[in-house]
Amino acid sequence: MFGKTRPRKNSVQRSSSSPIERLDVKDLHFADEMPAGRDVDLSGRGTAFVRVAEGPEGAATVLLVHGLFATTDLNWSLAIPVLASRFRVVAPDLRGHGRGLPTRRFAGDECADDLAAIVRALELGPVIVVGYSLGGLVAQLFARRYPDMVAGLVLCATATSFQVPTGQGPLRAVDWAVRRAPEPLRRAALMAMLAPKSAKTPRGQWMMSQVRRHDTVAMLDAIAEAGRFNSSDWLGANTVPAAVIVTAEDRTVPAETQRAMSRTLGGSNSFLDGSTPLRAMTKPVLTSSISLAGIGVKT
């Protein structure tokens, strides 16, 4: 979810651990400055918030799609300047997340349509779409719905289907109850769940100011959407160059599930990042995966 640049020293059995890792602020690093953000009018859809780093003249465009509970600033802060040395980088907040489009519901196909509207509005042409976690779900749908807009596909810490606890058994009742709770109570619960250690430090306060912007019902919708998602029957029809970054210590999406997605993509180029998924988006492995996927890159 956030940009962690150092792996945890202890490697322990994680099967009983919570899928939400409570991070320590001192282990989190973000860029001091972000590229300019702009509000982009999407005809008939609303106004999207997008970060844009122009990159070298004539460079290919990378469209970054962040994960659940995150924003562009939280997920891609350190990746954007690395990528911008070789690519034009465009990174929106998803609907219901951060400064993203207001929404009555979060749905993957709506988010894919939002991306298409951004590509049209900014006249980007075909893009290399990079999806992280929930953003990988959206990126897969975008590539399926708008193949003419996609020059390449990079998927990280994501899958063709997700195991979502609230989609099964008694926990469905928890989801039902939370949806009917007063908004202040839902927001307090979200903030408590995502608060890092040392949240009262300046960096921690900035992180929580990003989280505070989320639409709490949209977060519940996004979790439910992940529970329903299954691309295993159609992702294999993808014809554009593709790469998968496998996050070996992922608590939420097991590494073997990610490798299975790579096999579904016809044995796409697979890159093992031996750290947590939080760290994978901050390192040159992302640039390498885009380049070595066979996607045209100007050097």
Side-chain angles (χ1 to χ4, degrees):
M1 177 175 57
F2 305 137
K4 186 173 182 180
T5 61
R6 286 180 289 179
R8 298 179 65 161
K9 293 183 179 179
N10 295 327
S11 179
V12 298
Q13 185 67 31
R14 301 177 187 274
S15 59
S16 62
S17 300
S18 167
I20 302 297
E21 180 182 357
R22 189 160 185 258
L23 306 174
D24 193 327
V25 167
K26 73 178 189 312
D27 290 334
L28 301 175
H29 301 271
F30 303 96
D32 293 332
E33 296 182 3
M34 291 290 287
R38 64 179 76 171
D39 292 327
V40 179
D41 180 52
L42 307 181
S43 180
R45 306 186 71 80
T47 302
F49 176 78
V50 181
R51 296 277 186 197
V52 178
E54 292 298 338
E57 184 178 354
T61 299
V62 172
L63 179 62
L64 301 177
V65 192
H66 66 74
L68 179 66
F69 299 134
T71 63
T72 278
D73 290 5
L74 289 172
N75 212 150
W76 300 114
S77 170
L78 294 180
I80 289 176
V82 173
L83 292 174
S85 67
R86 299 181 68 178
F87 304 97
R88 184 185 190 193
V89 182
V90 177
D93 279 359
L94 290 173
R95 60 173 50 223
H97 290 69
R99 285 173 278 193
L101 288 161
T103 186
R104 292 183 179 178
R105 69 183 183 97
F106 181 98
D109 56 358
E110 284 289 325
C111 290
D113 293 347
D114 294 338
L115 296 184
I118 290 169
V119 170
R120 293 191 196 101
L122 296 179
E123 300 180 341
L124 300 178
V127 299
I128 303 162
V129 59
V130 180
Y132 172 87
S133 187
L134 179 72
L137 177 159
V138 175
Q140 291 175 64
L141 288 169
F142 175 65
R144 186 191 191 196
R145 293 166 73 86
Y146 301 96
D148 292 344
M149 292 187 177
V150 179
L153 176 65
V154 178
L155 302 172
C156 178
T158 193
T160 57
S161 63
F162 300 83
Q163 295 297 317
V164 178
T166 54
Q168 304 173 10
L171 287 178
R172 288 183 179 179
V174 175
D175 178 80
W176 183 91
V178 171
R179 287 179 182 274
R180 285 154 182 77
E183 164 61 16
L185 184 59
R186 283 200 307 269
R187 185 159 301 280
L190 177 70
M191 298 293 284
M193 179 178 71
L194 298 181
K197 299 173 184 177
S198 306
K200 293 184 179 180
T201 63
R203 184 182 296 143
Q205 290 173 342
W206 173 78
M207 287 175 57
M208 297 315 292
S209 73
Q210 295 277 309
V211 172
R212 193 173 291 110
R213 296 175 183 268
H214 294 339
D215 181 318
T216 57
V217 172
M219 299 301 102
L220 295 170
D221 288 345
I223 295 169
E225 179 78 351
R228 292 187 295 267
F229 181 75
N230 192 328
S231 64
S232 57
D233 290 339
W234 50 262
L235 185 61
N238 171 72
T239 58
V240 301
V244 173
I245 301 175
V246 178
T247 47
E249 295 186 24
D250 199 326
R251 298 184 181 190
T252 305
V253 185
E256 181 50 39
T257 301
Q258 299 175 54
R259 293 188 184 98
M261 179 178 62
S262 180
R263 292 191 292 271
T264 299
L265 278 164
S268 60
N269 287 291
S270 181
F271 301 86
L272 179 66
D273 185 273
S275 65
T276 65
L278 303 173
R279 184 169 168 262
M281 291 296 90
T282 69
K283 294 294 182 181
V285 66
L286 179 57
T287 303
S288 298
S289 67
I290 294 171
S291 302
L292 297 178
I295 301 164
V297 179
K298 289 192 175 184
T299 58

